[in-house]
Amino acid sequence: MVRDSQHGCVRNKSCLTNLLVFVEEVANYLDSGYPVDVIYLDFQKAFDKVPHKRLILKLAAHGIDSKLLEWIEKWLLDRKQRVVINGVFSGWKDVLSGVPQGSVLGNWDHCYL
């Protein structure tokens, strides 16, 4: 189940709709006389470093449906990678964090349906 607050990769929603909802909520607080503090964080690089098991736990905590969660977990776990330089191959190493670059999860900001 995807929550109504989800904007990334959801039909008819985008970064812009997320921003508009946020601005409206801030304006409502300010109109009611409440102070508002905003802290901006950039997790773009951190997302590459999140351990797979922790990411699965976080997705579950945010109410991601169990079938979708199982699919994501199978997609992330047991990945391996190696490096090739001038035709010389390194050994295979387990990938324990991050998501494959160029994938939907690796490019949330480029998701439009």
Side-chain angles (χ1 to χ4, degrees), residues 3-23:
R3 294 181 179 184
D4 288 338
S5 61
Q6 173 70 34
H7 285 258
C9 297
V10 174
R11 187 176 304 280
N12 298 321
K13 290 187 176 182
S14 65
C15 293
L16 178 59
T17 60
N18 188 344
L19 179 61
L20 291 172
V21 168
F22 172 75
V23 168

Side-chain angles (χ1 to χ4, degrees), residues 22-94:
F22 172 75
V23 168
E24 184 171 346
E25 287 182 18
V26 169
N28 288 339
Y29 277 110
L30 292 173
D31 289 345
S32 298
Y34 291 100
V36 176
D37 292 323
V38 178
I39 299 172
Y40 294 95
L41 301 171
D42 182 358
F43 289 109
Q44 183 176 356
K45 295 297 180 191
F47 195 62
D48 290 338
K49 296 173 177 63
V50 173
H52 292 152
K53 292 185 187 232
R54 185 177 302 154
L55 178 59
I56 296 300
L57 290 172
K58 291 287 186 181
L59 291 172
H62 284 285
I64 299 298
D65 178 80
S66 61
K67 289 188 185 273
L68 177 59
L69 190 64
E70 182 181 336
W71 180 85
I72 293 171
E73 185 173 18
K74 286 181 179 179
W75 179 69
L76 287 175
L77 298 180
D78 298 322
R79 288 187 166 269
K80 296 187 180 298
Q81 68 183 20
R82 66 180 176 178
V83 176
V84 181
I85 300 175
N86 294 326
V88 178
F89 294 77
S90 71
W92 288 99
K93 294 287 186 181
D94 291 330

